[in-house]
Amino acid sequence: MAPKQPVNKVSKRFWYPADDEKTPVARKTGAKKTATLKKSITPGTVLILLAGRFRGKRVVFLKQLSSGLLLVTGPYKINGVPLKRVNQSYTIATSTKVDISGVNVKKIEDDFFKREKAPKAKKTEDNFFAQSAEQKKELSEEKKSEQKSVDAPLLKTLKGDKLVAKYLGARFSLTKNMRPHQLSF
């Protein structure tokens, strides 16, 4: 009988996974942190909105919501901007300040802005053609009254300073020879 040849055993310390083998990615899950507020944004600061339906409008900052978004208002009577949530990255803070000491916004949180879900109807031919004649959704009385209660003290403050009221009503835009990096807001 021939002597037994030693069998090469693969050591576990030299084993490497194949390139195409998927490995799970470690993800850190934790509590979401609210965004830190820019130093230039304080309650009462006039902001310029940069995006969305009201881009170019000047608004008054009221407070930061728990989600990290900013609560702003026009006031609605001056420039048509209602109570609104805005991401701070889409704003420019100006050096203009408005006194908001009389404004009470403790009740307004992110839940205030949630939309009501409409019950889904069955899909039928009649419903499909009826969608085109759908009515415009009306604002709830709660939101209208809250808008008025927030804007009333602001309008009282702005009544004394006509220049700031006119400034809030004016739209911001760049013209041909303006250089945004050289502007001071």
Side-chain angles (χ1 to χ4, degrees):
M1 235 189 200
K4 246 185 175 175
Q5 294 253 338
V7 179
N8 288 342
K9 289 187 178 180
V10 178
S11 174
K12 287 194 177 196
R13 64 182 184 170
F14 292 113
W15 180 82
Y16 298 103
D19 289 336
D20 60 346
E21 191 173 308
K22 292 183 179 177
T23 56
V25 178
R27 289 192 176 96
K28 292 180 182 177
T29 56
K32 288 186 179 181
K33 298 173 189 165
T34 58
T36 53
L37 203 57
K38 291 179 185 176
K39 290 177 188 174
S40 57
I41 300 176
T42 56
T45 304
V46 175
L47 307 175
I48 299 170
L49 300 180
L50 299 177
R53 178 178 166 202
F54 299 105
R55 68 182 159 275
K57 296 273 189 169
R58 293 180 171 102
V59 294
V60 179
F61 168 67
L62 300 173
K63 74 171 187 175
Q64 186 177 26
L65 300 170
S66 58
S67 64
L69 298 174
L70 309 180
L71 178 67
V72 297
T73 185
Y76 188 78
K77 195 171 185 179
I78 292 178
N79 59 11
V81 181
L83 278 170
K84 188 172 172 51
R85 291 185 299 180
V86 179
N87 190 330
Q88 65 182 330
S89 59
Y90 298 113
T91 62
I92 296 174
T94 64
S95 57
T96 310
K97 304 263 190 253
V98 176
D99 179 33
I100 61 162
S101 57
V103 179
N104 184 14
V105 288
K106 289 182 180 172
K107 289 191 286 182
I108 302 173
E109 281 300 323
D110 288 308
D111 298 335
F112 178 78
F113 295 98
K114 285 196 175 160
R115 295 180 182 161
E116 294 121 19
K117 289 189 176 181
K120 290 190 176 183
K122 282 194 167 187
K123 292 185 178 182
T124 63
E125 193 174 323
D126 296 333
N127 289 347
F128 179 76
F129 290 110
Q131 283 179 347
S132 60
E134 195 174 308
Q135 301 169 359
K136 191 175 181 183
K137 292 181 183 175
E138 284 294 318
L139 223 59
S140 70
E141 287 301 317
E142 177 202 0
K143 288 188 178 183
K144 286 181 183 178
S145 65
E146 200 61 44
Q147 178 75 50
K148 286 178 184 174
S149 69
V150 168
D151 283 355
L154 260 176
L155 289 171
K156 202 176 209 181
T157 305
L158 294 173
K159 203 173 200 177
D161 196 352
K162 298 278 185 197
L163 199 60
V164 174
K166 202 169 185 179
Y167 176 70
L168 284 170
R171 198 172 202 130
F172 171 79
S173 64
L174 294 171
T175 56
K176 192 174 183 180
N177 294 324
M178 290 173 95
R179 291 173 173 74
H181 60 284
Q182 293 178 338
L183 293 177
S184 60
F185 298 98

